[in-house]
């Protein structure tokens, strides 16, 4: 099994059922995991900050840094791989 590492302010998706999406040290960050079992598409987002209004230029360069733009990016990447939003299972972790 291959580990796909998701860094801080990062987002990765995969259709490889033999891979695992992994992130470390969430702390005050939030991790959002999604999976469409029918399409076999999964994604993981490691959010650093809550709102892109804090720094619009950074959000344009890296939408995965912020919750509001990162979730949109995660969903787009997953649907581009064939996931259906209505079939996604969603998990949240972190935010301590």
């Amino acid at each position: 099994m291959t580990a796909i590492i998701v860094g801080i302010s990062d987002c990765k998706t995969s259709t490889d059922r033999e891979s695992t999406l992994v992130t470390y040290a969430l702390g005050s960050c939030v991790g959002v995991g999604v999976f469409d079992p029918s399409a076999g598409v999964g994604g993981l987002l490691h959010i650093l900050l809550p709102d892109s209004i804090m720094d619009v230029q950074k959000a344009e360069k890296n939408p995965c840094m912020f919750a509001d733009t990162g979730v949109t990016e995660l969903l787009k990447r997953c649907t581009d791989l064939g996931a259906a939003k209505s079939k996604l299972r969603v998990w949240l972790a972190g935010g301590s």
Side-chain angles (χ1 to χ4, degrees):
M1 186 164 290
T2 303
I4 299 172
I5 307 300
V6 180
I8 297 169
S9 301
D10 192 12
C11 177
K12 300 272 175 66
T13 54
S14 179
T15 57
D16 182 0
R17 292 180 186 260
E18 299 301 314
S19 294
T20 303
L21 294 161
V22 179
T23 195
Y24 298 99
L26 282 174
S28 63
C29 295
V30 174
V32 180
V34 297
F35 182 65
D36 176 345
S38 298
V41 175
L44 183 60
L45 170 67
H46 187 135
I47 301 167
L48 178 65
L49 297 167
D51 196 331
S52 62
I53 199 78
M54 300 169 129
D55 194 328
V56 175
Q57 290 177 335
K58 278 189 180 179
E60 288 173 2
K61 288 182 184 176
N62 183 6
C64 300
M65 182 178 286
F66 301 94
D68 61 332
T69 51
V71 171
T72 301
E73 181 68 17
L74 173 63
L75 294 176
K76 179 189 177 311
R77 291 182 188 188
C78 286
T79 56
D80 285 351
L81 290 175
K85 286 182 186 178
S86 62
K87 294 183 179 181
L88 286 174
R89 298 177 183 178
V90 180
W91 295 269
L92 300 171
S96 65

